Amino acid sequence: MKLHLVPARQGTQWVKLGIQTFFRQPLALAGLFFMFLAVVSLVNMVPLIGNIVAMTLLPGATLGLMAASREAGDGKFPMPTMLLSGFRAGRKELNAMLTLGGLYTLSLMLVLGLSALIDGGKFAKLYLGGASMTADILQESDFQWAVLVSTALYIPVSLLFWHAPALVHWHGASPIKSLFFSFVACVRNIGAFTVYSLTWLGVFMLVSIVVSIIAALTGSVELVATLMYPAAIILAAMFFTSIYFTFRDNFEPDLGDAP
């Protein structure tokens, strides 16, 4: 496993590749992302343990979307079974993916627990679906601080798990080793990831502005809601498609299964 160092401008290229690859198989990739959301939502509805199970399955499910992106990039049609790629490659990989999921769940619960020390658990309840967002909550300073602190704490968690599922699946790395190399790769290529994040932020903002202009020209407020939901789904699907390319360019391909 050899780490590649890439220039900062590669971040823009990752976004471009994600969008281009999505349009190679738009129905398949959008459908797989919608299935991903549906499964997570259904699991979240299970009383008591739903949130925990959903978070535990998230790394493996994300790997499934990456595998689908790889298929689409190779000109193939990604089948729905691609979502299970991280869970059906053998008992060893299954255990590794579930271990990653458990570590991710513990990390996220730690972040939410620390945020609860600031606002008494308001942000944590909202995140876990135990409360509804209101204008009053958004205006409370302790809630705002909890959101800021949680965001700052989640960044290193994201770096740890960004490449980890792919390293387990395509390089056979152990969970701990995959977390270590994922973090190192993201830090060493922080310029590219910064440009990548800012570019996606710009894309999301641009689409929001276009939708708002269309609504303003038509004079229909309802049109904003009608257009924004499918637009958000498509943009999110494109974003998840682009994640595979951040992995592909950060690591030397495995000789047995070169991504």
Side-chain angles (χ1 to χ4, degrees):
M1 185 191 311
K2 183 179 179 181
L3 172 65
H4 285 168
L5 298 182
V6 298
R9 64 178 181 275
Q10 190 66 21
T12 303
Q13 184 68 11
W14 292 336
V15 175
K16 181 180 178 181
L17 287 169
I19 295 174
Q20 289 177 338
T21 303
F22 175 84
F23 280 112
R24 288 186 181 182
Q25 298 288 351
L27 293 179
L29 292 173
L32 283 171
F33 181 71
F34 190 81
M35 289 175 59
F36 166 79
L37 288 182
V39 170
V40 171
S41 299
L42 288 173
V43 173
N44 268 320
M45 294 172 63
V46 178
L48 300 178
I49 63 170
N51 288 324
I52 301 298
V53 174
M55 286 187 283
T56 302
L57 296 177
L58 194 58
T62 302
L63 183 279
L65 293 175
M66 293 178 68
S69 300
R70 175 184 174 180
E71 288 283 290
D74 290 341
K76 302 175 184 177
F77 185 88
M79 301 299 292
T81 52
M82 297 300 298
L83 280 179
L84 302 176
S85 297
F87 303 109
R88 61 190 183 102
R91 181 173 295 274
K92 182 179 179 181
E93 183 172 324
L94 173 62
N95 291 337
M97 284 294 177
L98 293 178
T99 299
L100 276 182
L103 293 172
Y104 178 76
T105 300
L106 289 174
S107 300
L108 191 54
M109 295 305 291
L110 178 60
V111 170
L112 294 176
L114 292 173
S115 77
L117 298 177
I118 300 173
D119 69 350
K122 284 179 282 190
F123 173 70
K125 290 178 182 178
L126 182 64
Y127 185 89
L128 296 173
S132 300
M133 183 178 294
T134 64
D136 291 337
I137 291 179
L138 292 175
Q139 293 175 4
E140 295 177 6
S141 60
D142 58 347
F143 176 83
Q144 294 171 359
W145 274 108
V147 173
L148 289 174
V149 170
S150 297
T151 302
L153 292 174
Y154 184 74
I155 291 175
V157 173
S158 177
L159 300 183
L160 282 167
F161 288 90
W162 190 265
H163 296 304
L167 288 171
V168 167
H169 182 69
W170 280 306
H171 288 273
S174 67
I176 299 301
K177 188 176 180 180
S178 70
L179 293 173
F180 172 77
F181 279 103
S182 175
F183 187 82
V184 170
C186 291
V187 171
R188 294 288 299 276
N189 287 309
I190 194 64
F193 277 99
T194 300
V195 172
Y196 172 76
S197 302
L198 292 175
T199 304
W200 268 123
L201 179 62
V203 171
F204 275 80
M205 291 179 63
L206 178 62
V207 171
S208 298
I209 292 172
V210 170
V211 172
S212 299
I213 291 175
I214 292 174
L217 292 175
T218 59
S220 174
V221 177
E222 293 78 10
L223 186 61
V224 175
T226 303
L227 294 177
M228 280 305 296
Y229 181 74
I233 292 293
I234 292 173
L235 285 174
M238 290 178 178
F239 171 77
F240 273 88
T241 301
S242 70
I243 291 177
Y244 166 71
F245 298 100
T246 70
F247 167 74
R248 186 197 66 177
D249 291 349
N250 272 230
F251 293 94
E252 188 78 32
D254 182 77
L255 294 178
D257 190 12

